[in-house]
Amino acid sequence: MINTVKDMLSLMEKEYSDDYAFQYFEKNELVKVTYKQYVDDINGFASYLCDKFSDIEGKRIAILSKNSYHFMVCYLGTILAKAVIVPMNKQESDEILDYELDLADVSCIFSDEEFEIFRPDTAKRYEKILFRIDDYKNYTGKIGDFECSTDPDSLSAIIMTSGTTGKNKGVMLSQRNMFTTLESFTGQIDFIMNKLKKKQLQSFIVVPMFHTAGLATILAGNLKGNFEGLCNSPKYIFRDLAIMKSDYTFVVPAMMKIWYKDLKNGTTEKMGGLTTIFTGAAPADPDVFKVFVDNGITIIQIYGLTEDFGGGTINNSDECEKIDSIGVVKYRGDIKIDDGEICFKSDAVMKGYVKDPEGTAKAIVDGWLHTGDLGYIDEDGCVYISGRKKNLIILSGGENVNPEELEALLQRNEKVTEVVVKQKGDKICAEVFCEVDDQQNIKEYINTVNKTLPGYKKMTVIEFREKPFTKTGVGKIVR
Protein backbone atom coordinates (compact mmCIF):
# COMPACT_ATOMS: atom_id res chain seq x y z
CA MET A 1 0.00 0.00 0.00
CA ILE A 2 1.29 3.47 -0.95
CA ASN A 3 1.13 5.90 1.98
CA THR A 4 4.11 8.20 1.42
CA VAL A 5 5.92 10.03 -1.36
CA LYS A 6 8.91 7.75 -0.74
CA ASP A 7 6.69 4.72 -1.47
CA MET A 8 5.43 6.44 -4.61
CA LEU A 9 8.93 7.15 -5.92
CA SER A 10 9.94 3.53 -5.36
CA LEU A 11 6.93 2.38 -7.36
CA MET A 12 7.57 4.76 -10.25
CA GLU A 13 11.26 3.87 -10.41
CA LYS A 14 10.59 0.14 -10.32
CA GLU A 15 7.58 -0.09 -12.66
CA TYR A 16 7.72 2.87 -15.06
CA SER A 17 11.33 4.07 -15.17
CA ASP A 18 11.72 4.12 -18.98
CA ASP A 19 8.17 5.31 -19.75
CA TYR A 20 7.32 8.93 -20.40
CA ALA A 21 5.79 10.68 -17.38
CA PHE A 22 5.10 14.20 -18.72
CA GLN A 23 4.99 16.31 -21.83
CA TYR A 24 4.67 20.09 -21.86
CA PHE A 25 5.57 23.17 -23.87
CA GLU A 26 8.54 25.26 -22.81
CA LYS A 27 9.30 28.29 -25.01
CA ASN A 28 7.16 26.76 -27.77
CA GLU A 29 9.14 23.52 -27.71
CA LEU A 30 7.47 20.25 -26.69
CA VAL A 31 9.46 18.65 -23.85
CA LYS A 32 9.07 15.02 -22.74
CA VAL A 33 10.27 13.65 -19.41
CA THR A 34 10.62 10.00 -18.37
CA TYR A 35 9.66 8.61 -14.98
CA LYS A 36 13.34 8.02 -14.22
CA GLN A 37 14.09 11.70 -14.80
CA TYR A 38 11.04 12.65 -12.74
CA VAL A 39 12.19 10.57 -9.75
CA ASP A 40 15.76 11.90 -10.09
CA ASP A 41 14.51 15.50 -10.18
CA ILE A 42 12.30 15.01 -7.08
CA ASN A 43 15.28 13.59 -5.20
CA GLY A 44 17.40 16.42 -6.57
CA PHE A 45 14.93 19.06 -5.36
CA ALA A 46 14.77 17.48 -1.90
CA SER A 47 18.58 17.43 -1.73
CA TYR A 48 18.77 21.06 -2.89
CA LEU A 49 16.16 22.09 -0.29
CA CYS A 50 17.94 20.29 2.55
CA ASP A 51 21.22 21.93 1.53
CA LYS A 52 19.59 25.38 1.42
CA PHE A 53 17.95 24.93 4.84
CA SER A 54 19.87 22.83 7.35
CA ASP A 55 16.77 22.70 9.59
CA ILE A 56 14.25 21.98 6.83
CA GLU A 57 11.94 19.65 8.77
CA GLY A 58 8.54 21.26 9.30
CA LYS A 59 9.34 24.46 7.39
CA ARG A 60 6.49 25.76 5.22
CA ILE A 61 7.46 26.11 1.56
CA ALA A 62 5.05 27.98 -0.74
CA ILE A 63 4.62 27.67 -4.52
CA LEU A 64 3.43 30.66 -6.57
CA SER A 65 3.72 29.36 -10.11
CA LYS A 66 1.75 28.43 -13.18
CA ASN A 67 1.04 24.77 -13.91
CA SER A 68 4.37 23.17 -14.73
CA TYR A 69 6.55 20.10 -14.42
CA HIS A 70 8.72 22.00 -11.92
CA PHE A 71 5.61 22.62 -9.79
CA MET A 72 5.19 18.87 -9.26
CA VAL A 73 8.90 18.34 -8.62
CA CYS A 74 8.77 21.07 -5.97
CA TYR A 75 5.56 19.71 -4.45
CA LEU A 76 6.80 16.14 -4.02
CA GLY A 77 10.42 17.07 -3.27
CA THR A 78 9.34 19.32 -0.42
CA ILE A 79 7.26 16.59 1.21
CA LEU A 80 10.04 14.03 0.68
CA ALA A 81 12.44 16.36 2.55
CA LYS A 82 10.13 16.51 5.61
CA ALA A 83 9.02 20.07 4.89
CA VAL A 84 5.44 21.24 4.39
CA ILE A 85 4.30 22.30 0.92
CA VAL A 86 1.88 25.24 0.54
CA PRO A 87 0.60 25.51 -3.07
CA MET A 88 -1.06 28.88 -3.66
CA ASN A 89 -3.02 30.73 -6.32
CA LYS A 90 -0.59 33.25 -7.84
CA GLN A 91 -3.49 35.33 -9.18
CA GLU A 92 -4.86 36.20 -5.75
CA SER A 93 -4.71 39.83 -4.64
CA ASP A 94 -1.76 41.04 -2.58
CA GLU A 95 -4.06 41.32 0.41
CA ILE A 96 -5.07 37.66 0.21
CA LEU A 97 -1.53 36.46 -0.56
CA ASP A 98 -0.19 38.37 2.44
CA TYR A 99 -2.88 36.85 4.64
CA GLU A 100 -2.28 33.28 3.41
CA LEU A 101 1.52 33.48 3.60
CA ASP A 102 1.24 34.75 7.17
CA LEU A 103 -1.39 32.16 8.09
CA ALA A 104 0.84 29.31 6.92
CA ASP A 105 4.03 30.80 8.45
CA VAL A 106 5.81 30.41 5.10
CA SER A 107 9.64 30.38 5.24
CA CYS A 108 10.30 30.61 1.51
CA ILE A 109 8.48 30.88 -1.79
CA PHE A 110 9.25 29.18 -5.09
CA SER A 111 7.96 31.07 -8.11
CA ASP A 112 8.50 31.17 -11.85
CA GLU A 113 9.63 33.90 -14.22
CA GLU A 114 6.04 34.62 -15.23
CA PHE A 115 5.05 35.53 -11.66
CA GLU A 116 8.03 37.84 -11.30
CA ILE A 117 7.33 39.57 -14.63
CA PHE A 118 3.61 40.14 -14.18
CA ARG A 119 3.71 40.88 -10.44
CA PRO A 120 7.04 42.70 -9.99
CA ASP A 121 5.90 44.70 -6.95
CA THR A 122 4.75 41.57 -5.13
CA ALA A 123 7.94 39.74 -6.08
CA LYS A 124 10.05 42.64 -4.80
CA ARG A 125 8.24 42.68 -1.45
CA TYR A 126 9.12 39.03 -0.92
CA GLU A 127 12.51 39.02 -2.67
CA LYS A 128 14.37 37.92 0.49
CA ILE A 129 12.46 34.61 0.59
CA LEU A 130 11.68 34.26 -3.14
CA PHE A 131 13.48 31.63 -5.24
CA ARG A 132 13.05 30.32 -8.78
CA ILE A 133 11.15 27.05 -8.88
CA ASP A 134 13.65 25.52 -11.34
CA ASP A 135 16.80 26.50 -9.39
CA TYR A 136 17.23 22.88 -8.31
CA LYS A 137 18.44 22.10 -11.85
CA ASN A 138 21.63 24.02 -11.06
CA TYR A 139 22.30 22.15 -7.81
CA THR A 140 25.72 20.47 -7.85
CA GLY A 141 25.71 18.90 -4.40
CA LYS A 142 25.23 15.27 -3.48
CA ILE A 143 21.82 13.87 -4.48
CA GLY A 144 19.99 11.70 -1.97
CA ASP A 145 22.07 12.61 1.07
CA PHE A 146 19.10 13.50 3.29
CA GLU A 147 16.58 11.81 5.58
CA CYS A 148 13.31 11.08 3.75
CA SER A 149 9.91 11.57 5.27
CA THR A 150 8.53 8.14 6.23
CA ASP A 151 5.74 9.17 8.63
CA PRO A 152 2.46 9.06 6.70
CA ASP A 153 0.63 10.98 9.43
CA SER A 154 2.89 14.00 9.87
CA LEU A 155 1.82 17.36 8.45
CA SER A 156 2.92 17.45 4.81
CA ALA A 157 0.78 20.02 3.00
CA ILE A 158 -1.33 23.10 3.66
CA ILE A 159 -3.80 23.79 0.88
CA MET A 160 -5.90 26.92 0.90
CA THR A 161 -9.62 26.41 0.49
CA SER A 162 -11.31 28.11 -2.43
CA GLY A 163 -13.84 29.65 -0.07
CA THR A 164 -16.90 31.25 -1.67
CA THR A 165 -17.69 33.18 1.51
CA GLY A 166 -15.36 34.74 4.08
CA LYS A 167 -11.59 34.27 4.33
CA ASN A 168 -9.81 31.25 2.93
CA LYS A 169 -8.67 28.61 5.39
CA GLY A 170 -5.49 26.56 5.42
CA VAL A 171 -6.31 22.85 5.26
CA MET A 172 -3.63 20.71 6.93
CA LEU A 173 -3.07 17.36 5.20
CA SER A 174 -0.85 14.36 5.82
CA GLN A 175 0.51 11.98 3.21
CA ARG A 176 -2.00 9.36 4.38
CA ASN A 177 -4.84 11.83 3.77
CA MET A 178 -3.67 12.36 0.20
CA PHE A 179 -2.93 8.75 -0.74
CA THR A 180 -6.21 7.50 0.72
CA THR A 181 -8.11 9.73 -1.69
CA LEU A 182 -5.90 8.67 -4.60
CA GLU A 183 -7.22 5.10 -4.24
CA SER A 184 -10.56 6.22 -5.68
CA PHE A 185 -8.90 8.09 -8.56
CA THR A 186 -6.61 5.19 -9.51
CA GLY A 187 -9.60 2.84 -9.50
CA GLN A 188 -11.19 4.97 -12.22
CA ILE A 189 -7.94 5.01 -14.20
CA ASP A 190 -7.96 1.19 -14.05
CA PHE A 191 -11.50 1.33 -15.42
CA ILE A 192 -10.40 3.46 -18.41
CA MET A 193 -7.37 1.23 -19.05
CA ASN A 194 -9.57 -1.86 -19.16
CA LYS A 195 -12.14 -0.17 -21.38
CA LEU A 196 -9.55 1.08 -23.88
CA LYS A 197 -7.33 -2.00 -23.49
CA LYS A 198 -4.25 0.18 -22.92
CA LYS A 199 -1.28 -0.37 -20.60
CA GLN A 200 -0.48 3.34 -20.42
CA LEU A 201 -3.02 6.13 -20.67
CA GLN A 202 -2.40 9.69 -21.79
CA SER A 203 -4.00 12.37 -19.65
CA PHE A 204 -4.35 16.12 -20.10
CA ILE A 205 -3.93 18.47 -17.13
CA VAL A 206 -5.37 21.98 -17.30
CA VAL A 207 -7.07 22.39 -13.88
CA PRO A 208 -4.87 24.49 -11.53
CA MET A 209 -2.23 22.54 -9.60
CA PHE A 210 -2.70 24.66 -6.48
CA HIS A 211 -6.11 23.01 -6.18
CA THR A 212 -6.73 19.46 -4.95
CA ALA A 213 -8.45 18.50 -8.22
CA GLY A 214 -5.31 19.21 -10.23
CA LEU A 215 -2.96 17.63 -7.71
CA ALA A 216 -5.05 14.48 -7.22
CA THR A 217 -5.45 13.99 -10.98
CA ILE A 218 -1.71 14.21 -11.59
CA LEU A 219 -0.67 12.09 -8.61
CA ALA A 220 -3.17 9.35 -9.45
CA GLY A 221 -1.83 9.33 -13.00
CA ASN A 222 1.72 9.04 -11.67
CA LEU A 223 0.72 6.04 -9.55
CA LYS A 224 -0.62 4.28 -12.66
CA GLY A 225 2.30 5.24 -14.91
CA ASN A 226 0.33 7.63 -17.13
CA PHE A 227 1.86 9.90 -19.74
CA GLU A 228 0.54 13.28 -18.58
CA GLY A 229 0.24 16.37 -20.76
CA LEU A 230 0.59 19.62 -18.82
CA CYS A 231 -1.19 22.72 -20.09
CA ASN A 232 0.19 25.77 -18.30
CA SER A 233 -2.56 28.18 -19.33
CA PRO A 234 -6.26 27.78 -20.31
CA LYS A 235 -5.60 29.99 -23.37
CA TYR A 236 -3.50 27.18 -24.85
CA ILE A 237 -5.92 24.35 -24.09
CA PHE A 238 -7.06 23.67 -27.66
CA ARG A 239 -3.57 23.98 -29.14
CA ASP A 240 -2.14 21.61 -26.54
CA LEU A 241 -5.01 19.13 -26.78
CA ALA A 242 -4.57 18.90 -30.54
CA ILE A 243 -0.90 17.98 -30.08
CA MET A 244 -1.04 15.98 -26.83
CA LYS A 245 -3.66 13.47 -27.93
CA SER A 246 -5.16 12.30 -24.64
CA ASP A 247 -7.54 9.69 -23.29
CA TYR A 248 -8.94 11.72 -20.40
CA THR A 249 -8.83 15.04 -18.61
CA PHE A 250 -10.25 16.75 -15.52
CA VAL A 251 -12.12 20.00 -16.14
CA VAL A 252 -14.56 22.17 -14.22
CA PRO A 253 -18.16 22.32 -15.54
CA ALA A 254 -17.56 25.75 -17.12
CA MET A 255 -15.14 24.14 -19.59
CA MET A 256 -17.66 21.42 -20.38
CA LYS A 257 -20.12 24.05 -21.59
CA ILE A 258 -17.76 24.97 -24.44
CA TRP A 259 -17.55 21.36 -25.61
CA TYR A 260 -21.27 20.92 -24.99
CA LYS A 261 -22.11 23.53 -27.62
CA ASP A 262 -19.73 21.86 -30.09
CA LEU A 263 -21.24 18.42 -29.44
CA LYS A 264 -24.73 19.76 -30.05
CA ASN A 265 -23.44 21.07 -33.38
CA GLY A 266 -22.02 17.64 -34.22
CA THR A 267 -18.31 18.38 -33.84
CA THR A 268 -15.67 16.98 -31.48
CA GLU A 269 -12.57 18.60 -33.01
CA LYS A 270 -11.78 20.72 -29.93
CA MET A 271 -11.78 17.63 -27.70
CA GLY A 272 -8.55 16.21 -29.10
CA GLY A 273 -9.71 12.59 -29.06
CA LEU A 274 -10.74 12.53 -25.38
CA THR A 275 -12.90 9.54 -24.46
CA THR A 276 -13.41 10.32 -20.76
CA ILE A 277 -14.02 13.53 -18.82
CA PHE A 278 -13.48 13.80 -15.07
CA THR A 279 -15.31 16.78 -13.62
CA GLY A 280 -16.04 18.33 -10.26
CA ALA A 281 -15.13 21.34 -8.07
CA ALA A 282 -18.39 23.15 -8.95
CA PRO A 283 -22.08 22.33 -9.59
CA ALA A 284 -22.91 20.97 -13.04
CA ASP A 285 -26.01 20.45 -15.16
CA PRO A 286 -27.00 16.77 -15.73
CA ASP A 287 -28.51 17.78 -19.08
CA VAL A 288 -25.03 18.83 -20.21
CA PHE A 289 -23.62 15.48 -19.07
CA LYS A 290 -26.26 13.63 -21.06
CA VAL A 291 -25.12 15.20 -24.33
CA PHE A 292 -21.57 13.94 -23.69
CA VAL A 293 -22.80 10.45 -22.81
CA ASP A 294 -25.03 10.38 -25.91
CA ASN A 295 -21.88 11.10 -27.95
CA GLY A 296 -20.03 8.14 -26.45
CA ILE A 297 -17.96 10.11 -23.94
CA THR A 298 -17.74 8.77 -20.38
CA ILE A 299 -18.37 11.30 -17.61
CA ILE A 300 -16.82 10.65 -14.19
CA GLN A 301 -18.08 13.05 -11.54
CA ILE A 302 -15.87 13.58 -8.52
CA TYR A 303 -17.32 15.09 -5.37
CA GLY A 304 -15.05 16.01 -2.49
CA LEU A 305 -13.55 18.87 -0.54
CA THR A 306 -10.10 20.28 0.02
CA GLU A 307 -10.63 18.99 3.56
CA ASP A 308 -10.44 15.39 2.34
CA PHE A 309 -8.16 16.03 -0.66
CA GLY A 310 -11.13 15.74 -2.98
CA GLY A 311 -12.08 12.27 -1.74
CA GLY A 312 -15.82 11.79 -1.42
CA THR A 313 -18.01 10.16 -4.03
CA ILE A 314 -17.66 9.13 -7.66
CA ASN A 315 -20.27 8.67 -10.37
CA ASN A 316 -19.08 6.92 -13.54
CA SER A 317 -21.67 7.31 -16.31
CA ASP A 318 -20.72 3.89 -17.71
CA GLU A 319 -21.67 2.26 -14.41
CA CYS A 320 -24.59 4.36 -13.19
CA GLU A 321 -27.65 5.63 -15.06
CA LYS A 322 -28.37 8.21 -12.35
CA ILE A 323 -26.38 10.98 -13.94
CA ASP A 324 -27.93 13.62 -11.65
CA SER A 325 -26.34 11.89 -8.65
CA ILE A 326 -22.79 12.57 -7.42
CA GLY A 327 -22.33 8.81 -7.04
CA VAL A 328 -21.14 6.57 -4.25
CA VAL A 329 -18.11 6.27 -1.95
CA LYS A 330 -15.38 4.26 -3.74
CA TYR A 331 -12.50 4.19 -1.29
CA ARG A 332 -11.91 3.26 2.36
CA GLY A 333 -14.53 5.53 3.87
CA ASP A 334 -18.06 5.96 5.18
CA ILE A 335 -20.82 8.45 4.47
CA LYS A 336 -23.90 9.58 6.36
CA ILE A 337 -26.50 12.33 6.33
CA ASP A 338 -26.59 14.28 9.59
CA ASP A 339 -29.51 16.68 9.91
CA GLY A 340 -29.61 16.97 6.12
CA GLU A 341 -25.84 17.52 5.80
CA ILE A 342 -23.49 15.18 3.89
CA CYS A 343 -20.70 13.86 6.15
CA PHE A 344 -17.64 11.67 5.46
CA LYS A 345 -15.38 9.60 7.69
CA SER A 346 -12.10 8.16 6.40
CA ASP A 347 -8.32 8.40 6.52
CA ALA A 348 -8.62 11.13 3.90
CA VAL A 349 -10.12 13.61 6.38
CA MET A 350 -7.75 16.49 7.12
CA LYS A 351 -5.74 17.02 10.29
CA GLY A 352 -7.53 20.34 10.74
CA TYR A 353 -7.44 24.03 9.82
CA VAL A 354 -4.29 26.08 10.43
CA LYS A 355 -4.57 28.20 13.60
CA ASP A 356 -8.30 27.55 13.79
CA PRO A 357 -9.20 24.96 16.44
CA GLU A 358 -12.77 26.28 16.66
CA GLY A 359 -13.30 25.90 12.91
CA THR A 360 -11.73 22.44 13.02
CA ALA A 361 -14.05 21.37 15.84
CA LYS A 362 -17.09 22.50 13.84
CA ALA A 363 -15.92 20.76 10.67
CA ILE A 364 -14.87 17.44 12.23
CA VAL A 365 -17.20 15.94 14.85
CA ASP A 366 -16.33 12.49 16.24
CA GLY A 367 -14.17 11.90 13.17
CA TRP A 368 -16.92 12.86 10.72
CA LEU A 369 -16.18 15.66 8.25
CA HIS A 370 -19.22 17.90 7.89
CA THR A 371 -19.16 19.11 4.29
CA GLY A 372 -21.61 21.99 4.55
CA ASP A 373 -23.53 20.50 1.61
CA LEU A 374 -27.14 19.44 2.02
CA GLY A 375 -28.21 16.20 0.40
CA TYR A 376 -29.65 12.72 0.67
CA ILE A 377 -28.86 9.09 -0.18
CA ASP A 378 -31.31 6.99 -2.17
CA GLU A 379 -32.11 3.29 -1.86
CA ASP A 380 -29.17 2.36 -4.12
CA GLY A 381 -26.64 4.29 -2.05
CA CYS A 382 -26.37 7.10 -4.60
CA VAL A 383 -25.77 10.53 -3.11
CA TYR A 384 -27.53 13.71 -4.22
CA ILE A 385 -26.73 17.33 -3.38
CA SER A 386 -29.69 19.62 -2.79
CA GLY A 387 -27.86 22.78 -1.75
CA ARG A 388 -25.25 24.46 0.37
CA LYS A 389 -26.01 24.79 4.08
CA LYS A 390 -24.47 28.27 4.33
CA ASN A 391 -26.38 29.47 1.26
CA LEU A 392 -29.77 28.30 2.53
CA ILE A 393 -32.37 31.07 2.28
CA ILE A 394 -34.80 31.23 5.20
CA LEU A 395 -37.82 33.41 4.53
CA SER A 396 -39.93 35.19 7.16
CA GLY A 397 -42.60 32.52 6.89
CA GLY A 398 -40.05 29.89 7.93
CA GLU A 399 -39.75 28.42 4.44
CA ASN A 400 -36.31 27.12 3.40
CA VAL A 401 -35.11 27.67 -0.17
CA ASN A 402 -31.98 26.11 -1.67
CA PRO A 403 -30.69 28.71 -4.18
CA GLU A 404 -28.71 26.03 -6.06
CA GLU A 405 -31.97 24.27 -6.97
CA LEU A 406 -33.29 27.42 -8.64
CA GLU A 407 -29.94 28.22 -10.25
CA ALA A 408 -29.91 24.77 -11.86
CA LEU A 409 -33.34 25.45 -13.38
CA LEU A 410 -32.20 28.78 -14.84
CA GLN A 411 -28.94 27.39 -16.19
CA ARG A 412 -30.96 25.14 -18.48
CA ASN A 413 -31.52 28.23 -20.59
CA GLU A 414 -28.45 28.42 -22.84
CA LYS A 415 -28.66 32.21 -22.93
CA VAL A 416 -27.91 32.37 -19.18
CA THR A 417 -24.14 32.69 -18.88
CA GLU A 418 -24.00 32.93 -15.07
CA VAL A 419 -26.62 33.22 -12.34
CA VAL A 420 -26.83 33.57 -8.56
CA VAL A 421 -30.10 33.24 -6.69
CA LYS A 422 -30.19 35.19 -3.43
CA GLN A 423 -32.49 36.71 -0.85
CA LYS A 424 -33.53 40.34 -1.22
CA GLY A 425 -35.64 41.44 1.68
CA ASP A 426 -38.25 38.71 1.90
CA LYS A 427 -38.16 37.97 -1.82
CA ILE A 428 -36.15 35.60 -4.03
CA CYS A 429 -33.88 37.42 -6.48
CA ALA A 430 -32.22 36.00 -9.58
CA GLU A 431 -29.08 37.93 -10.52
CA VAL A 432 -28.06 37.08 -14.08
CA PHE A 433 -25.09 37.77 -16.32
CA CYS A 434 -25.87 37.40 -20.05
CA GLU A 435 -25.80 39.22 -23.37
CA VAL A 436 -27.91 42.40 -23.25
CA ASP A 437 -29.96 41.24 -26.24
CA ASP A 438 -30.94 38.08 -24.34
CA GLN A 439 -32.34 39.79 -21.26
CA GLN A 440 -35.96 39.84 -22.40
CA ASN A 441 -35.79 36.17 -23.38
CA ILE A 442 -34.46 35.31 -19.91
CA LYS A 443 -37.17 37.36 -18.18
CA GLU A 444 -39.78 35.38 -20.05
CA TYR A 445 -38.01 32.11 -19.23
CA ILE A 446 -37.93 32.95 -15.50
CA ASN A 447 -41.65 33.75 -15.60
CA THR A 448 -42.24 30.35 -17.20
CA VAL A 449 -40.14 28.61 -14.54
CA ASN A 450 -41.97 30.47 -11.76
CA LYS A 451 -45.27 28.94 -12.91
CA THR A 452 -43.91 25.51 -11.98
CA LEU A 453 -42.81 26.56 -8.47
CA PRO A 454 -44.62 26.95 -5.16
CA GLY A 455 -45.28 30.56 -4.21
CA TYR A 456 -42.43 30.95 -1.73
CA LYS A 457 -39.85 29.77 -4.32
CA LYS A 458 -40.88 32.13 -7.10
CA MET A 459 -38.12 34.49 -8.26
CA THR A 460 -39.99 37.78 -8.17
CA VAL A 461 -36.93 40.01 -8.49
CA ILE A 462 -34.68 39.82 -11.56
CA GLU A 463 -31.42 41.74 -11.82
CA PHE A 464 -28.98 41.81 -14.73
CA ARG A 465 -25.30 42.57 -14.25
CA GLU A 466 -22.87 44.05 -16.77
CA LYS A 467 -19.83 41.97 -15.74
CA PRO A 468 -19.28 38.29 -14.89
CA PHE A 469 -19.33 37.28 -11.24
CA THR A 470 -16.05 37.16 -9.33
CA LYS A 471 -14.83 33.56 -9.14
CA THR A 472 -12.42 31.43 -7.16
CA GLY A 473 -9.40 29.78 -8.79
CA VAL A 474 -11.43 26.78 -9.93
CA GLY A 475 -14.41 28.65 -11.29
CA LYS A 476 -16.80 28.77 -8.33
CA ILE A 477 -18.78 31.99 -8.10
CA VAL A 478 -17.95 34.00 -4.98
CA ARG A 479 -21.23 34.82 -3.29
Side-chain angles (χ1 to χ4, degrees):
M1 185 176 294
I2 306 295
N3 275 320
T4 66
V5 170
K6 183 180 178 182
D7 295 339
M8 178 181 174
L9 298 190
S10 296
L11 172 71
M12 293 192 300
E13 191 167 36
K14 178 182 177 182
E15 300 292 337
Y16 317 126
S17 190
D18 295 329
D19 296 329
Y20 282 122
F22 292 104
Q23 58 179 332
Y24 58 93
F25 277 98
E26 191 169 89
K27 296 179 180 177
N28 292 319
E29 180 181 346
L30 186 62
V31 178
K32 296 183 180 181
V33 179
T34 65
Y35 272 96
K36 183 181 186 310
Q37 185 63 58
Y38 185 33
V39 171
D40 288 347
D41 283 344
I42 293 167
N43 279 306
F45 187 94
S47 301
Y48 155 80
L49 200 60
C50 289
D51 191 57
K52 182 177 285 291
F53 299 97
S54 58
D55 56 342
I56 188 61
E57 184 170 354
K59 283 192 178 297
R60 280 71 183 289
I61 310 298
I63 306 178
L64 283 168
S65 163
K66 65 184 178 185
N67 278 12
S68 72
Y69 169 71
H70 303 300
F71 189 115
M72 291 309 301
V73 170
C74 177
Y75 185 92
L76 293 173
T78 298
I79 295 174
L80 187 67
K82 292 189 174 183
V84 179
I85 193 67
V86 188
M88 298 173 68
N89 182 356
K90 67 184 180 69
Q91 295 183 339
E92 292 282 21
S93 67
D94 278 356
E95 180 183 1
I96 293 177
L97 284 182
D98 289 346
Y99 166 76
E100 292 182 346
L101 289 165
D102 179 65
L103 178 68
D105 292 323
V106 166
S107 296
C108 80
I109 303 168
F110 285 98
S111 68
D112 55 13
E113 183 180 15
E114 183 178 292
F115 176 79
E116 295 166 27
I117 290 174
F118 290 103
R119 300 191 67 165
D121 293 339
T122 307
K124 186 171 180 58
R125 283 195 301 119
Y126 288 105
E127 62 182 351
K128 290 184 179 180
I129 61 169
L130 194 67
F131 303 94
R132 281 286 181 88
I133 198 167
D134 58 353
D135 274 355
Y136 71 95
K137 300 294 285 184
N138 300 317
Y139 178 64
T140 57
K142 187 175 181 181
I143 304 296
D145 188 20
F146 62 92
E147 187 177 344
C148 296
S149 172
T150 57
D151 180 4
D153 296 310
S154 62
L155 176 62
S156 295
I158 296 173
I159 300 181
M160 301 298 165
T161 57
S162 299
T164 54
T165 59
K167 287 186 176 180
N168 289 351
K169 293 184 177 183
V171 174
M172 298 187 291
L173 297 168
S174 69
Q175 294 179 79
R176 191 188 305 277
N177 295 152
M178 292 183 275
F179 284 103
T180 297
T181 286
L182 294 178
E183 288 181 26
S184 58
F185 278 72
T186 55
Q188 294 305 302
I189 295 174
D190 284 335
F191 171 88
I192 302 169
M193 283 180 166
N194 292 332
K195 181 179 178 180
L196 300 180
K197 296 180 172 56
K198 286 187 174 183
K199 291 183 178 180
Q200 185 188 44
L201 296 179
Q202 291 189 221
S203 58
F204 186 76
I205 310 297
V206 66
V207 68
M209 289 180 183
F210 62 80
H211 189 268
T212 52
L215 290 167
T217 304
I218 293 172
L219 293 173
N222 289 164
L223 288 171
K224 301 305 297 185
N226 281 1
F227 184 21
E228 312 206 65
L230 303 179
C231 180
N232 60 34
S233 171
K235 67 182 179 181
Y236 296 129
I237 184 171
F238 299 121
R239 178 203 70 176
D240 289 1
L241 255 180
I243 295 169
M244 304 176 189
K245 298 295 184 182
S246 303
D247 299 302
Y248 73 88
T249 188
F250 189 117
V251 294
V252 295
M255 182 65 217
M256 293 186 69
K257 280 196 170 184
I258 297 174
W259 286 327
Y260 164 74
K261 291 178 181 178
D262 288 342
L263 289 172
K264 289 195 75 175
N265 292 327
T267 178
T268 59
E269 287 181 11
K270 289 183 179 178
M271 296 193 67
L274 292 166
T275 65
T276 304
I277 306 290
F278 285 80
T279 189
D285 185 350
D287 290 340
V288 171
F289 290 163
K290 189 175 185 303
V291 172
F292 281 81
V293 174
D294 289 346
N295 279 271
I297 297 167
T298 302
I299 299 296
I300 301 177
Q301 298 179 64
I302 305 287
Y303 167 74
L305 285 72
T306 305
E307 287 84 345
D308 61 0
F309 202 61
T313 61
I314 290 180
N315 187 350
N316 184 319
S317 63
D318 283 8
E319 300 176 327
C320 179
E321 294 181 357
K322 299 179 178 181
I323 203 164
D324 53 336
S325 163
I326 56 170
V328 298
V329 175
K330 290 205 173 188
Y331 66 118
R332 291 174 288 136
D334 296 315
I335 185 172
K336 71 174 181 179
I337 305 297
D338 184 359
D339 193 25
E341 184 177 4
I342 300 170
C343 302
F344 293 112
K345 189 175 189 178
S346 79
D347 285 342
V349 173
M350 67 173 178
K351 297 175 74 65
Y353 294 119
V354 176
K355 301 176 184 176
D356 188 5
E358 184 178 339
T360 300
K362 287 181 180 178
I364 305 173
V365 181
D366 296 329
W368 288 92
L369 174 64
H370 288 242
T371 66
D373 286 319
L374 300 172
Y376 63 93
I377 305 173
D378 71 10
E379 66 280 0
D380 295 322
C382 293
V383 186
Y384 295 79
I385 294 179
S386 56
R388 183 77 183 155
K389 192 173 183 178
K390 288 183 179 179
N391 298 337
L392 193 66
I393 296 172
I394 303 177
L395 300 173
S396 61
E399 302 95 341
N400 292 345
V401 179
N402 287 324
E404 291 89 347
E405 173 192 349
L406 301 178
E407 289 164 4
L409 292 173
L410 300 189
Q411 285 168 344
R412 291 179 181 176
N413 185 322
E414 293 182 17
K415 297 184 185 301
V416 174
T417 305
E418 296 173 357
V419 61
V420 167
V421 172
K422 60 187 181 181
Q423 186 172 0
K424 194 160 190 179
D426 205 36
K427 297 179 180 179
I428 304 298
C429 169
E431 185 178 1
V432 180
F433 171 63
C434 65
E435 297 291 337
V436 174
D437 293 345
D438 293 329
Q439 290 182 0
Q440 184 57 37
N441 173 282
I442 290 170
K443 284 182 181 179
E444 294 171 1
Y445 178 75
I446 292 175
N447 289 332
T448 300
V449 170
N450 278 338
K451 292 176 183 178
T452 69
L453 300 171
Y456 70 93
K457 285 188 179 181
K458 293 184 187 298
M459 294 163 279
T460 55
V461 179
I462 304 171
E463 296 179 350
F464 292 98
R465 55 187 292 130
E466 296 179 356
K467 297 180 180 180
F469 290 93
T470 301
K471 301 178 190 66
T472 66
V474 290
K476 293 181 184 178
I477 291 175
V478 176
R479 293 180 176 269

